[in-house]
Amino acid sequence: MTAPRKGRVKPFEGPAGGWGSVRSLADILPRERLGPVALAQLARQNKTEGFACVSCAWPKPADAHPAEFCEEGAKATAWELTTLRTTPAFFQEHTLTALRGWSDYDLEQHGRLTHPLCYNRETDRYEAISWDEAFAAIGEALRPISPKAVAFYSSGRTSLEASYMYGLMARMFGNQNLPDSSNMCHESTSVGLKAAIGVPVGTTRLEDFDHADALFFFGHNTGSNAPRMLHNLRSCRKRGVEIVTFNPLRERGLERFTDPQNPIEMTTLRETDISTQYHQLKAGGDIAAIMGMAKFLIEWDDAASAAGAPPVLDHDFIDQHTKGFEDFVALVRSTTWKTIEKESALSRSAIEEAAQVYADAKAVMAIYGMGLTQHVKGVDNVRMLVNLLLLRGNIGKPGAGPMPVRGHSNVQGQRTVGITEKTELVPIERLEQQYGFSAPREKGLDTVETCRGVIDGSVKAFVGLGGNFLRAVPETEAMERAWPNLEVSVQIATKLNRNHLFPGKVTYLLPCLGRIERDVQASGPQAVSVEDSTSCIHGSRGKIAPASEHLLSEPAIVAALAKRLLPANPKVDWDAWTADYGLIREAIEETYPEIFPDYNARLFTPGGFWKGNKAAERIWLTESGKAEFFTPKSLNAAGFEDADKRFRLITLRSNDQFNTTIYGYHDRFRGVKGTRDVLFMNVADMLAEDLTEGEIVALESDAGDGVRRRREGLIVTPYDIPRGCLGAYYPEANVLIPIEHHADESHVPAGKSVPVRIARG
Ligand SMILES: Nc1nc2c(c(=O)[nH]1)N[C@H]1C(S)=C(S)[C@@H](COP(=O)(O)OP(=O)(O)OC[C@H]3O[C@@H](n4cnc5c(=O)[nH]c(N)nc54)[C@H](O)[C@@H]3O)O[C@H]1N2
Ligand SMILES: Nc1nc2c(c(=O)[nH]1)N[C@H]1C(S)=C(S)[C@@H](COP(=O)(O)OP(=O)(O)OC[C@H]3O[C@@H](n4cnc5c(=O)[nH]c(N)nc54)[C@H](O)[C@@H]3O)O[C@H]1N2
Ligand SMILES: [Mo]
């Protein structure tokens, strides 16, 4: 059995933010060999004329703090600014076979990629090559392959400009195989909200925090994954706003926070309590918990009606704006408390407390993350949350509505400008007119379908615009085994990651500029743009010298690829776009005139410019023209039944990682130091399984499909987690997730309830 990395786990007593985050920052700069120049860059982060943080998609306020960044954003900036380099000499020293033995941390810790590289099968090494040779060879290798067999992946960091060009290139090549990180993330939101309220995105914005009187939080680890939101939560708490949290784990950022940018709080160690109620439901228990709340609300509304008191439900809103209410109410009435308590693992009285806050609040925001979307019933989770909001008209008024917290800094924006496999989400005819070609109508491949295609051989070529596809997707072993069968594997990246170590028959690794770096093209310095989680679009201008003189920008790389891949088309001047990104924005404006009027002029609007949202105006672009209630078929979002010795594994992010990028081995808020090989477990389950703290075990998937999937070397760690649930870190745990274990409809891999068993020896 592989020896786990030794570490220490001790309950963390401090608040989120506070001195801990300042100390953590002090560790980062030396780790990336950075001096004071980095601090100057941090001051520009998330400012109107500065650059959009490369970490999360939390909005950038118009009235920014002097330092509008958080510990996590600083880590992400430092990670990109690092003075360390992964040069051709590095690859001379290490074969890919050897590098496959390295950890994710060690791979990226070697710093920024500096040269375009081509894999040489004879030597098993990457070797430097000129850009021209690389593009010519890639074009030549891709052109003969049937468009259906080529996948164009992108990760949500890529700008609007590069994303638009990338989607156009794929469609002109002849497919919509545009899987992206959103397919593993908030696609359950895009599908669920679209069906329920007619828009695929949240309806709320930063200013709604000033009007809400209760926040309901589901499955988001704010302290680690969108720490700047803690400022908004703190001001809400100071106004007496109730914050009701549903999460299997007690996440520190949702409990207590000290503002590291507030000298008084820092010196007096004053903390703000964040959640006023904290409900540790079991993983996959949200549909049941919300059903329970709805049951109370309906009961109270019945009682009010009988007593002639004001109603608890907003009947005017329901009558005027919704469809499906009767069916939903019938289901709620017929659902028993026994089922609700069993499926949520919450008591009726705990659910009553939450329902009471909901009933008393005039305006409620529902904020959520991967804890809802990454389940087999992830779309149902989202729809159930909308049901809750609809009951009291909590959509389309100040301080109310759904707020999905997006992950990557432009993941929402990519979809806005055409990164999607679904024809109905793009103005296909307008694209055809604009560029004089006939675009494919056949649905393209999403992430899960791309994985299936890589495994069964029907996908023959993969181009990755950022990201670490192979590491982020489930079914690690089968995927790694199949990858070398690809005819072509091209990756555009800033740092070396595990995906790059699995070559296809023709393999290129192309290094690009990061967003913080100066991007000078023929017409001068360029800016790019991104869309945040609240649909606000911001310009971003890099100022720092590039990590290497050989780097190209993402728009330049996409343009050069497109030129080699596609026949010349006088209506698409890829070179002019590369020379002046303002022209790409003009093209985007022409394709999406409703969203991007005066795009260039509004690029640096303080706080970004809002792309608008019909549901926020109570205009419902749904099938029925109304907001639609939903009746779930099952209260169990996990999608599999509990059985003896079967656990629901939650795959988690630590506070020292950004997705597959591992900054370090600590998870401060969860008290973990020096290791990621932990298995969080309830003490009663440890007793039942006869396990002691520190014992080393393995997990095996229990999907019942006969495939052996195993993760070795996990340290049993007692933790405050509901019985029947386990926690382990992503991406290491992805070996355990079958590719077919994904959300119905949205295909988001169901990483928050993976059926597993504990194995020994
Ligand atoms: N520093 C940092 N920031 C990041 C990222 C990062 O890796 N590091 N990643 C970015 C990306 S791409 C994304 S998508 C976001 C991810 O940010 P989050 O949405 O916070 O995702 P996770 O960290 O996976 O954690 C999800 C939370 O859901 C809880 N949970 C698990 N199962 C359930 C359930 O069934 N019900 C409920 N109610 N809760 C549950 C977990 O305990 C955990 O607190 O963050 C973005 N920001
Ligand atoms: N089990 C489990 N699996 C999950 C999740 C989970 O919670 N549990 N979360 C899912 C989610 S929400 C997401 S979003 C995906 C993440 O999937 P991805 O977005 O594919 O993965 P990242 O780890 O964000 O990608 C990191 C790599 O991006 C490259 N990179 C960084 N910056 C740039 C840049 O500016 N340009 C370019 N071209 N490349 C750059 C670097 O080379 C770096 O190694 O993982 C998913 N997988
Ligand atoms: Mo994500």
Side-chain angles (χ1 to χ4, degrees):
M1 185 180 274
T2 329
R5 203 187 142 99
K6 287 211 180 64
R8 189 161 63 79
V9 186
K10 213 172 77 181
F12 174 72
E13 306 294 348
W19 285 109
S21 72
V22 175
R23 267 195 299 273
S24 173
L25 267 181
D27 292 341
I28 298 166
L29 300 186
R31 182 159 85 198
E32 304 289 359
R33 310 277 195 283
L34 284 168
V37 65
L39 286 173
Q41 284 307 305
L42 284 175
R44 297 185 61 244
Q45 190 153 318
N46 296 325
K47 296 293 176 50
T48 301
E49 281 294 328
F51 63 88
C53 178
V54 291
S55 192
C56 75
W58 191 242
K60 294 94 190 132
D63 52 343
H65 289 85
E68 188 58 43
F69 63 88
C70 64
E71 174 189 348
E72 296 304 315
K75 283 180 195 169
T77 303
W79 175 92
E80 189 167 308
L81 284 179
T82 179
T83 57
L84 301 168
R85 297 290 178 266
T86 305
T87 61
F90 169 89
F91 291 105
Q92 280 307 306
E93 282 171 34
H94 306 285
T95 61
L96 293 205
T97 305
L99 289 170
R100 283 194 291 271
W102 288 32
S103 68
D104 297 302
Y105 172 81
D106 288 331
L107 289 174
E108 295 204 7
Q109 199 51 34
H110 271 264
R112 293 284 301 275
L113 293 164
T114 57
H115 289 67
L117 301 161
C118 171
Y119 176 67
N120 180 339
R121 192 163 288 277
E122 312 265 281
T123 61
D124 188 29
R125 287 178 170 85
Y126 274 118
E127 292 167 0
I129 182 173
S130 76
W131 279 108
D132 268 351
E133 283 174 285
F135 289 132
I138 295 167
E140 201 170 301
L142 286 178
R143 275 193 312 267
I145 300 178
S146 154
K148 278 193 188 155
V150 182
F152 294 99
Y153 175 69
S154 56
S155 162
R157 195 173 288 198
T158 299
S159 65
L160 289 164
E161 290 80 357
S163 300
Y164 176 81
M165 291 165 77
Y166 197 60
L168 180 64
M169 172 176 82
R171 292 197 172 85
M172 295 186 93
F173 181 59
N175 73 35
Q176 305 192 87
N177 294 343
L178 290 158
D180 70 345
S181 60
S182 176
N183 290 154
M184 298 181 249
C185 186
H186 266 294
E187 187 63 16
S188 302
T189 293
S190 308
V191 172
L193 289 186
K194 181 93 183 70
I197 59 170
V199 293
V201 298
T203 62
T204 45
R205 288 191 279 168
L206 279 183
E207 47 266 45
D208 286 300
F209 282 106
D210 300 335
H211 303 284
D213 27 35
L215 307 179
F216 276 68
F217 251 93
F218 292 85
H220 187 261
N221 183 13
T222 313
S224 290
N225 296 334
R228 286 184 300 114
M229 194 204 302
L230 294 177
H231 295 285
N232 306 94
L233 302 186
R234 179 169 146 277
S235 2
C236 279
R237 282 301 302 132
K238 301 236 174 249
R239 285 198 302 112
V241 171
E242 297 274 348
I243 301 186
V244 180
T245 297
F246 293 85
N247 196 311
L249 306 186
R250 291 196 80 87
E251 302 287 24
R252 180 46 46 93
L254 294 166
E255 295 189 302
R256 281 181 280 142
F257 174 57
T258 296
D259 182 355
Q261 297 181 15
N262 179 329
I264 298 173
E265 281 198 356
M266 288 296 277
T267 47
T268 59
L269 293 180
R270 220 164 44 204
E271 301 161 3
T272 308
D273 285 333
I274 297 292
S275 297
T276 49
Q277 286 181 25
Y278 208 112
H279 301 288
Q280 284 180 273
L281 78 184
K282 72 175 169 186
D286 300 85
I287 300 176
I290 298 173
M291 186 65 91
M293 280 193 271
K295 207 166 165 66
F296 275 114
L297 295 166
I298 290 167
E299 249 174 49
W300 294 335
D301 191 66
D302 290 344
S305 155
V312 174
L313 305 184
D314 186 340
H315 290 285
D316 291 344
F317 175 86
I318 292 169
D319 293 346
Q320 197 186 333
H321 288 288
T322 72
K323 184 184 164 234
F325 174 67
E326 301 303 333
D327 290 346
F328 178 61
V329 172
L331 177 68
V332 175
R333 289 191 198 282
S334 67
T335 307
T336 64
W337 276 109
K338 194 165 162 235
T339 316
I340 292 171
E341 289 189 323
K342 173 176 164 278
E343 294 298 347
S344 65
L346 296 177
S347 70
R348 179 174 169 167
S349 61
I351 296 175
E352 181 174 11
E353 270 179 56
Q356 192 63 58
V357 170
Y358 184 78
D360 290 344
K362 288 197 182 63
V364 173
M365 287 165 73
I367 304 171
Y368 68 93
M370 297 300 101
L372 288 196
T373 62
Q374 293 179 337
H375 284 285
V376 169
K377 301 292 171 192
V379 175
D380 292 11
N381 273 337
V382 171
R383 298 218 48 183
M384 201 58 194
L385 192 59
V386 173
N387 286 346
L388 178 67
L389 293 170
L390 294 179
L391 286 175
R392 283 180 48 83
N394 273 313
I395 300 188
K397 68 182 184 193
M403 175 169 266
V405 187
R406 301 273 169 171
H408 271 296
S409 48
N410 191 40
V411 66
Q412 188 170 310
Q414 292 196 324
R415 295 243 137 188
T416 304
V417 296
I419 299 289
T420 172
E421 69 287 354
K422 296 172 185 151
T423 312
E424 65 276 18
L425 299 185
V426 272
I428 207 96
E429 274 116 28
R430 214 175 285 153
L431 278 178
E432 289 182 328
Q433 258 170 19
Q434 199 171 337
Y435 300 111
F437 76 113
S438 108
R441 296 294 195 279
E442 190 182 341
K443 189 189 133 336
L445 302 176
D446 60 22
T447 288
V448 160
E449 291 157 350
T450 300
C451 291
R452 279 184 203 144
V454 170
I455 291 171
D456 72 22
S458 59
V459 167
K460 298 194 184 326
F462 180 95
V463 180
L465 181 52
N468 190 357
F469 186 81
L470 198 42
R471 198 72 179 132
V473 299
E475 204 82 86
T476 315
E477 277 179 17
M479 285 297 293
E480 290 187 350
R481 246 193 336 266
W483 202 267
N485 299 330
L486 287 173
E487 296 294 328
V488 184
S489 177
V490 176
Q491 303 276 353
I492 300 155
T494 51
K495 284 199 183 173
L496 184 65
N497 65 42
R498 192 164 171 84
N499 201 161
H500 308 149
L501 308 179
F502 290 81
K505 290 175 189 147
V506 173
T507 308
Y508 288 86
L509 177 51
L510 309 178
C512 65
L513 289 175
R515 198 186 294 154
I516 306 167
E517 290 167 316
R518 194 160 57 227
D519 181 356
V520 182
Q521 302 293 346
S523 71
Q526 304 297 315
V528 293
S529 45
V530 298
E531 174 182 329
D532 68 33
S533 216
T534 60
S535 305
C536 293
I537 292 154
H538 308 255
S540 174
R541 201 187 292 283
K543 286 260 171 75
I544 209 90
S548 144
E549 58 178 327
H550 305 289
L551 304 184
L552 291 184
S553 72
E554 290 183 346
I557 293 174
V558 175
L561 274 179
K563 277 176 58 178
R564 302 316 194 285
L565 185 61
L566 307 172
N569 175 333
K571 290 196 164 175
V572 199
D573 190 344
W574 300 98
D575 289 334
W577 279 353
T578 305
D580 179 359
Y581 299 173
L583 298 176
I584 313 174
R585 287 186 287 273
E586 282 176 17
I588 295 176
E589 184 174 338
E590 195 180 330
T591 313
Y592 304 91
E594 311 81 10
I595 300 176
F596 295 96
D598 294 325
Y599 192 0
N600 277 312
R602 297 195 298 161
L603 195 59
F604 287 99
T605 308
F609 67 87
W610 191 48
K611 75 171 185 191
N613 187 305
K614 289 295 177 207
E617 301 171 43
R618 297 193 168 175
I619 296 168
W620 317 103
L621 304 174
T622 56
E623 266 179 30
S624 63
K626 303 256 182 190
E628 304 209 6
F629 276 98
F630 167 76
T631 49
K633 298 217 165 39
S634 157
L635 296 200
N636 172 3
F640 56 86
E641 294 308 316
D642 291 325
D644 187 36
K645 307 251 175 230
R646 175 185 292 159
F647 286 86
R648 297 180 181 189
L649 172 70
I650 307 174
T651 60
L652 290 164
R653 292 166 163 76
S654 79
N655 149 270
D656 220 3
Q657 76 183 83
F658 190 92
N659 297 338
T660 68
T661 290
I662 310 303
Y663 299 131
Y665 289 93
H666 302 330
D667 192 1
R668 200 153 49 81
F669 300 144
R670 300 197 184 108
V672 179
K673 243 188 143 118
T675 183
R676 294 175 53 80
D677 297 327
V678 290
L679 181 64
F680 296 118
M681 194 167 178
N682 184 296
V683 176
D685 282 333
M686 283 170 55
L687 285 173
E689 295 277 324
D690 199 16
L691 290 169
T692 49
E693 178 170 359
E695 210 173 324
I696 311 300
V697 294
L699 286 183
E700 279 187 7
S701 89
D702 191 21
D705 60 358
V707 179
R708 186 167 185 267
R709 302 180 186 86
R710 200 173 154 99
R711 159 97 165 95
E712 308 266 359
L714 288 165
I715 307 163
V716 172
T717 305
Y719 204 77
D720 189 357
I721 182 171
R723 285 206 69 175
C725 299
L726 299 171
Y729 291 118
Y730 136 74
E732 294 87 338
N734 288 27
V735 281
L736 292 165
I737 312 178
I739 194 62
E740 296 308 337
H741 185 62
H742 55 69
D744 302 337
E745 300 162 282
S746 72
H747 287 188
V748 171
K752 293 298 183 265
S753 278
V754 184
V756 295
R757 277 163 198 276
I758 295 173
R760 292 168 212 242

